[in-house]
Amino acid sequence: MMGKIVWVLLVVLLLVQAVLAIDGVSVDRLNIWPMPHSVSHGRESLFLSKDFELNTEGTKYNDGSGILKDGFSRLLDMVRVAHVVDGNFSKIDTSLLLQGLHVVVLSADGQLQYGIDESYKLSVPASGKPGYAYLEAHTVYGALHGFQTFSQLCLFNFTARVIEVPMVPWTVIDQPRFFFRGLLIDTSRHYLPLPVIKNVIDSMAYAKLNVLHWHIVDAQSFPLEIPSYPKLWDGAYSVSERYTFADAAEIVSYAQRRGINVLGEIDVPGHARSWGIGYPSLWPSKDCPEPLDVSNNFTFKVIDGILSDFSKIFKFKFVHLGGDEVNTSCWTLTPHVKKWLTKHHMNESQAYQYFVLRAQNIALSHGYEIVNWEETFNNFGNKLSRKTVVHNWLGAGVAEKVVAAGLRCIVSNQDKWYLDHLDATWQQFYMNEPLTNITNPNQQKLVLGGEVCMWGEHIDGSDIEQTIWPRAAAAAERLWTPYDNLAKDPRQVTGRLAHFRCLLNQRGVAAAPLAGLGRVAPEEPGSCYTQ
């Protein structure tokens, strides 16, 4: 009798596993990343016609700058994945050919800014003279996201040698969960050539990330030209490891045309030793060069000049002023600074507060709202400008304190969303929830979103892509997809993320395998989809 019970239980277990496997295949077949707000599909297939075109009849956006046209051109490149599309279209029933994509943008405004409407609706008809797929978006940037989703519905058919759209009809209704979905790059610890930065921007667009946080300068180097203070970039590693002011403007424009804002950062008063190579008076002394000299009015003139120049090219409403890891001992060890502190009745911590708040006021005078690292909040949060966004990085529990104080927050806790931490797995990236322990709806709105951070101590153009991807994609789905649509167990999305990682490889992005820790190499020969 006991043996019969065991046998029955075994059969039941196998049936359950079979059902789970079927469900898993079903989920994995829906190879869209990040998962949309709402999606439905069928079982038929269509093919893109040889002259697949963009139709904008009825749109309110005139596309004078060519953002939509260029986005469509990139879409065609994405779906071809460099294959030669040379199939015999005359053998395909015309009712199975999609002639183009009909895009209607409802807003004439092409300005990219925080909080714009990024929603879109995408439909691909079934057979029967389908004509056109249809994409509707409130803004051109929502349309660009729709292009990305459409590109993931397509595949190259190696038998017919044409582009196929399987599983039609498709209906996708989509919008992001958070308005701020960021990736930090660090060009001070190692210089990143301009093509590398542009490749990172392209890959961000594939995953629907929309903020490039450019940590431009730090203690080690100052690679950016600042017209107001031209000797600052004397702090670059070499004369060739620099960005001209025009280069920075080009990066901002390149990102903007892909729906990505650029958040520029100058980290003050710490992390700024390189500033004094060109202007030594910014240092408290040559023997004690950091943090910047709080007693010298010239320090704040330079900050004002930098932010004045920033305002000409960095059009995002926020600027990042750093404020983290400030060791104020140089201020008390340097006689003239110590004398200034005494005169103004300040101790070290009060001088730190004074510096941060004065820098904030300079940024406000140039029309910016401010992002500061969390140490500023931890030390004197109630003194910060109400236009401050607190950038969490040290660990969990900070965001809930920030929003309880009525300030806004960006989540980047280092234990889960620091890409340079190679022991942080993609599963940890996926399960990191920005709204942990924040249940008040009004406070939830104060969490702008999150950001994964690619700090550059051990990163340069040779390894940045495989360190970012695919782990950044795991965070991207967390930031885009509605909470109820997110997997409760990362194992449920393994196949779909593996598919996206392989898609990145096909598009020329050096995304690492899923198996193992960050930036791993394939262990054995095998299919991309099983690594």
Side-chain angles (χ1 to χ4, degrees):
M1 183 68 177
M2 182 63 68
K4 186 175 182 181
I5 293 173
V6 171
W7 183 84
V8 170
L9 289 173
L10 180 61
V11 170
V12 170
L13 177 62
L14 290 173
L15 285 172
V16 169
Q17 289 177 333
V19 170
L20 289 174
I22 292 170
D23 285 346
V25 170
S26 176
V27 169
D28 286 349
R29 281 194 68 197
L30 195 63
N31 287 317
I32 305 173
W33 195 282
M35 181 61 71
H37 187 275
S38 170
V39 58
S40 65
H41 63 86
R43 297 176 177 272
E44 301 181 47
S45 284
L46 295 177
F47 304 92
L48 303 196
S49 71
K50 185 177 182 180
D51 300 313
F52 188 76
E53 66 176 4
L54 172 66
N55 182 332
T56 59
E57 183 180 353
T59 191
K60 294 182 179 179
Y61 179 70
N62 66 17
D63 200 30
S65 59
I67 290 176
L68 194 63
K69 181 181 177 182
D70 290 349
F72 182 76
S73 178
R74 291 194 301 274
L75 166 63
L76 296 180
D77 289 339
M78 285 188 285
V79 299
R80 290 169 183 153
V81 287
H83 291 296
V84 176
V85 180
D86 60 355
N88 187 345
F89 286 89
S90 65
K91 291 186 177 181
I92 301 175
D93 190 319
T94 56
S95 68
L96 300 178
L97 288 176
L98 275 175
Q99 302 303 319
L101 182 58
H102 184 185
V103 179
V104 173
V105 178
L106 302 176
S107 172
D109 185 8
Q111 183 180 8
L112 178 65
Q113 195 47 266
Y114 173 81
I116 62 160
D117 191 322
E118 298 175 271
S119 66
Y120 67 91
K121 297 178 182 178
L122 173 67
S123 60
V124 183
S127 59
K129 293 192 176 179
Y132 288 81
Y134 184 79
L135 173 62
E136 179 181 288
H138 284 275
T139 68
V140 65
Y141 304 106
L144 294 180
H145 292 316
F147 285 167
Q148 294 296 338
T149 298
F150 184 81
S151 76
Q152 294 188 38
L153 305 184
C154 301
L155 57 85
F156 181 76
N157 184 312
F158 280 87
T159 302
R161 302 190 186 191
V162 297
I163 305 302
E164 180 182 355
V165 188
M167 300 168 64
V168 297
W170 285 97
T171 301
V172 179
I173 301 172
D174 206 5
Q175 64 186 40
R177 181 183 176 205
F178 292 102
F179 286 123
F180 190 109
R181 307 179 304 280
L183 166 67
L184 177 148
I185 60 170
D186 172 7
T187 57
S188 174
R189 276 54 181 259
H190 283 95
Y191 177 82
L192 296 175
L194 291 166
V196 172
I197 297 176
K198 288 184 174 181
N199 288 343
V200 168
I201 291 169
D202 285 335
S203 62
M204 288 176 66
Y206 300 153
K208 298 186 175 73
L209 294 174
N210 72 341
V211 178
L212 177 70
H213 176 177
W214 190 359
H215 187 87
I216 305 171
V217 303
D218 209 290
Q220 291 83 357
S221 74
F222 197 117
L224 178 64
E225 178 184 27
I226 300 296
S228 296
Y229 290 92
K231 291 183 181 180
L232 280 170
W233 72 351
D234 289 357
Y237 285 124
S238 69
V239 293
S240 61
E241 292 171 292
R242 290 173 167 177
Y243 308 103
T244 68
F245 199 59
D247 290 338
E250 166 62 17
I251 289 297
V252 172
S253 174
Y254 189 89
Q256 184 261 338
R257 297 178 69 81
R258 287 151 181 78
I260 296 170
N261 283 295
V262 178
L263 171 64
E265 179 181 359
I266 55 167
D267 197 347
V268 294
H271 290 281
R273 187 175 67 247
S274 63
W275 296 37
I277 303 297
Y279 297 98
S281 64
L282 292 170
W283 290 335
S285 72
K286 288 185 178 180
D287 297 325
C288 215
E290 200 175 66
L292 296 173
D293 190 343
V294 67
S295 72
N296 189 349
N297 199 48
F298 179 64
T299 299
F300 298 97
K301 286 185 177 180
V302 171
I303 292 172
D304 183 63
I306 292 172
L307 294 179
S308 176
D309 289 342
F310 265 34
S311 68
K312 296 177 177 66
I313 55 173
F314 293 103
K315 299 299 184 181
F316 195 31
K317 71 183 290 184
F318 301 109
V319 68
H320 206 304
L321 296 180
D324 62 313
E325 297 181 322
V326 179
N327 181 348
T328 56
S329 59
C330 274
W331 288 345
T332 55
L333 292 172
T334 306
H336 78 269
V337 181
K338 185 176 181 180
K339 182 179 178 180
W340 183 89
L341 291 174
T342 302
K343 179 182 177 181
H344 290 83
H345 308 289
M346 291 187 194
N347 59 28
E348 295 172 64
S349 62
Q350 289 169 328
Y352 170 38
Q353 175 183 306
Y354 165 82
F355 196 114
V356 168
L357 297 185
R358 186 167 174 183
Q360 283 200 337
N361 285 331
I362 293 170
L364 291 168
S365 74
H366 291 289
Y368 283 119
E369 296 182 26
I370 308 118
V371 184
N372 276 116
W373 294 108
E374 71 172 70
E375 285 95 327
T376 59
F377 174 80
N378 297 339
N379 284 281
F380 44 86
N382 63 333
K383 303 292 185 182
L384 293 170
S385 164
R386 302 309 291 177
K387 291 189 175 182
T388 302
V389 179
V390 178
H391 196 164
N392 151 246
W393 74 278
L394 285 171
V398 176
E400 57 191 287
K401 295 177 183 176
V402 172
V403 299
L407 292 174
R408 294 166 295 175
C409 188
I410 297 166
V411 173
S412 291
N413 46 313
Q414 62 174 338
D415 56 328
K416 300 292 173 59
W417 275 1
Y418 266 33
L419 291 156
D420 55 309
H421 291 199
L422 300 184
D423 57 343
T425 64
W426 73 262
Q427 292 93 336
Q428 290 173 298
F429 274 73
Y430 190 88
M431 296 306 293
N432 190 40
E433 172 52 46
L435 297 185
T436 297
N437 295 328
I438 303 173
T439 56
N440 183 312
N442 291 325
Q443 292 182 1
Q444 288 179 342
K445 293 176 184 177
L446 295 175
V447 179
L448 304 189
E451 175 181 292
V452 292
C453 298
M454 185 65 274
W455 294 107
E457 283 85 350
H458 306 286
I459 306 298
D460 64 10
S462 70
D463 60 359
I464 187 170
E465 289 185 350
Q466 59 263 48
T467 314
I468 292 174
W469 306 106
R471 291 180 301 161
E477 177 154 295
R478 174 66 52 171
L479 292 168
W480 178 276
T481 301
Y483 181 81
D484 289 342
N485 290 6
L486 293 164
K488 302 304 180 278
D489 184 333
R491 288 177 294 184
Q492 296 174 286
V493 303
T494 301
R496 188 161 52 84
L497 181 57
H499 185 277
F500 183 71
R501 176 253 168 174
C502 296
L503 183 66
L504 290 175
N505 282 179
Q506 291 166 11
R507 293 177 180 180
V509 180
L514 269 66
L517 303 178
R519 205 170 67 207
V520 295
E523 291 187 2
E524 298 289 346
S527 167
C528 174
Y529 300 100
T530 60
Q531 295 174 351

